Amino acid sequence: MNTRIFVFSLALVFAGRIAAAQVLEASQTEPRFYVGPLQLFPAITARDIGIDSNVYNDEAPREDFTYTISPSLLAVLPIRDARVKTRGRLDFRFFERLKDQQSISSALDTELDTRSGRVRPFGTAGFVQSHERGGYDIDARVASVLTRARLGARVALTPVTSLTGWVVREAMTYSPRENFDGVALDEQLDRVTRGLATGLRFDLTPFTSVTSAMEVEKTRFKYIPLRDANSFRFAPVVRFADGAIIEGEASAGFRDFRPLDARLARYRGFVARVKLGVTIARSTRVEGEVARDVDFSYVDREPLYLLTGGRIQVAHRIIGPVEAIAIGGRYRLRYQNIAEPSFDGRVEHVTIAGGGIGFIVNEHLRVTFSTDREQRISTAGVRRDYERRRVLGSVSYIP
């Protein structure tokens, strides 16, 4: 109990925004600190403070008190007509009794964006060193490292149209010590993806752009060539810059996913990636995400699955400083049995529902209390079924 009192006290004093770094940048138009031309936006977040009824996502639930402290820093360096943005974040996740679930995760990425000139180079590079769950397929919090680099350029054709192209490399590696369900995750999932793309970009407004490009990718696995695949994707992307009424990006289109081994199923069809937030009449904030795509499973006899689903959160001010919060989501995972022609294997459904209440004390301070329920039902039976309930609180402070 003393630990819980300490954490809530710490949150009251040091808590920062819950929102992601790009929302922080949009809301804080003025940097907190300057170092010469370098603009610094530091923040600290205290989140997920409360009770998790099923820490291991297991059919035999184990409950614990948990909280996460996340310091972060956004640095922006203007260089003539370009900007270099670097974001860094640490996540310290604590548990009161189940100490094997405690972890430290980190992320760092740097982005170069050129805003004028006929030829405008751009690029990103970074890594995520995580000790979290790998989506809804892997239930364990496992150590992994994702590195990504992208380099490209835009050539202006008209004031609003440009020819664009880029190359990308992404590598996923798991710690050799990580096992889940009797499977060595590095042996099944360590891989490198290389790709290139070309197409057109349309800058419709200062806040909105549309990129229509064709992408080809090659994914090669370190230990299991059976999983190697090539992919073609045509999915236009709409991006909304920080500070717009709508923030985030949305992509939807066609993907031809072609495994090199004939025993793995080919997928030709609709794919989508959407992550958007919109503010309506200054009183309602809607944030949502949608996903549909093929991904790699950790199970050797079920190497692929098709993920379809989405999640939404609505916060609406009901009276004075009080706002109501509603959360809902549903995802479906359809697995492919090896040597079967389609994704007709195991099926799992994950549903999320919850809500809460928030208090906007002033323009700097916001307090929220929420509860949610997450449940997975699998055709594989109780070994994969679970139900989890959480009761959480948070305090957000914007200096």
Side-chain angles (χ1 to χ4, degrees), residues 171-185:
M172 172 64 80
T173 59
Y174 286 81
S175 168
R177 300 185 302 273
E178 295 294 0
N179 286 266
F180 176 66
D181 201 18
V183 175
L185 296 179

Side-chain angles (χ1 to χ4, degrees), residues 34-326:
Y34 285 94
V35 179
L38 186 65
Q39 306 167 12
L40 301 177
F41 300 83
I44 187 167
T45 300
R47 56 184 174 84
D48 297 341
I49 308 169
I51 302 297
D52 187 334
S53 71
N54 193 347
V55 173
Y56 295 97
N57 279 2
D58 195 66
E59 67 268 20
R62 297 181 65 183
E63 180 182 288
D64 203 1
F65 175 78
T66 180
Y67 60 93
T68 301
I69 305 296
S70 301
S72 64
L73 177 65
L74 168 64
V76 180
L77 179 63
I79 305 175
R80 294 185 179 178
D81 58 350
R83 288 200 314 171
V84 177
K85 295 195 295 186
T86 300
R87 296 183 177 91
R89 189 188 73 249
L90 291 172
D91 294 328
F92 300 93
R93 183 182 292 274
F94 298 91
F95 287 85
E96 187 174 31
R97 293 183 296 102
L98 304 175
K99 299 301 184 182
D100 64 312
Q101 295 296 288
Q102 293 192 163
S103 64
I104 301 175
S105 300
S106 59
L108 180 69
D109 70 88
T110 298
E111 175 185 353
L112 167 68
D113 185 27
T114 306
R115 298 188 168 188
S116 63
R118 181 173 176 79
V119 179
R120 305 177 186 181
F122 62 85
T124 60
F127 72 90
V128 178
Q129 187 172 17
S130 174
H131 203 284
E132 298 293 338
R133 291 189 173 99
Y136 294 109
D137 181 50
I138 301 174
D139 290 328
R141 294 183 173 91
V142 295
S144 65
V145 178
L146 172 67
T147 59
R148 182 178 175 87
R150 186 174 73 151
L151 182 64
R154 297 190 297 271
V155 179
L157 303 178
T158 73
V160 299
T161 307
S162 56
L163 178 66
T164 185
W166 63 86
V167 295
V168 62
R169 183 186 187 276
E170 182 176 290
M172 172 64 80
T173 59
Y174 286 81
S175 168
R177 300 185 302 273
E178 295 294 0
N179 286 266
F180 176 66
D181 201 18
V183 175
L185 296 179
D186 62 328
E187 294 180 3
Q188 292 293 328
L189 296 176
D190 280 12
R191 60 190 184 270
V192 174
T193 298
R194 295 179 174 87
L196 58 89
T198 186
L200 294 174
R201 169 170 165 146
F202 306 92
D203 294 299
L204 304 182
T205 73
F207 294 101
T208 308
S209 68
V210 177
T211 301
S212 180
M214 296 178 291
E215 302 176 70
V216 293
E217 294 179 341
K218 294 183 178 181
T219 300
R220 300 295 182 262
F221 283 77
K222 184 175 181 180
Y223 300 106
I224 304 182
L226 166 72
R227 293 172 172 261
D228 292 351
N230 296 334
S231 178
F232 168 82
R233 185 193 304 265
F234 179 73
V237 181
V238 182
R239 290 187 175 88
F240 302 93
D242 303 335
I245 296 175
I246 302 176
E247 297 176 329
E249 67 176 53
S251 171
F254 171 81
R255 185 181 187 188
D256 184 3
F257 177 85
R258 305 182 304 278
L260 302 189
D261 194 300
R263 288 174 291 175
L264 272 63
R266 182 178 183 178
Y267 177 77
R268 301 178 75 248
F270 177 74
V271 293
R273 292 194 302 262
V274 177
K275 192 169 184 180
L276 295 174
V278 58
T279 302
I280 304 171
R282 303 184 65 181
S283 62
T284 303
R285 176 72 178 175
V286 181
E287 297 178 350
E289 60 182 40
V290 174
R292 180 178 172 85
D293 211 342
V294 178
D295 207 344
F296 297 97
S297 166
Y298 72 95
V299 183
D300 56 357
R301 63 185 180 277
E302 299 173 321
L304 301 171
Y305 66 90
L306 179 63
L307 173 69
T308 306
R311 180 186 178 108
I312 189 170
Q313 176 173 314
V314 180
H316 176 69
R317 188 174 297 195
I318 51 178
I319 183 171
V322 182
E323 63 179 8
I325 302 170

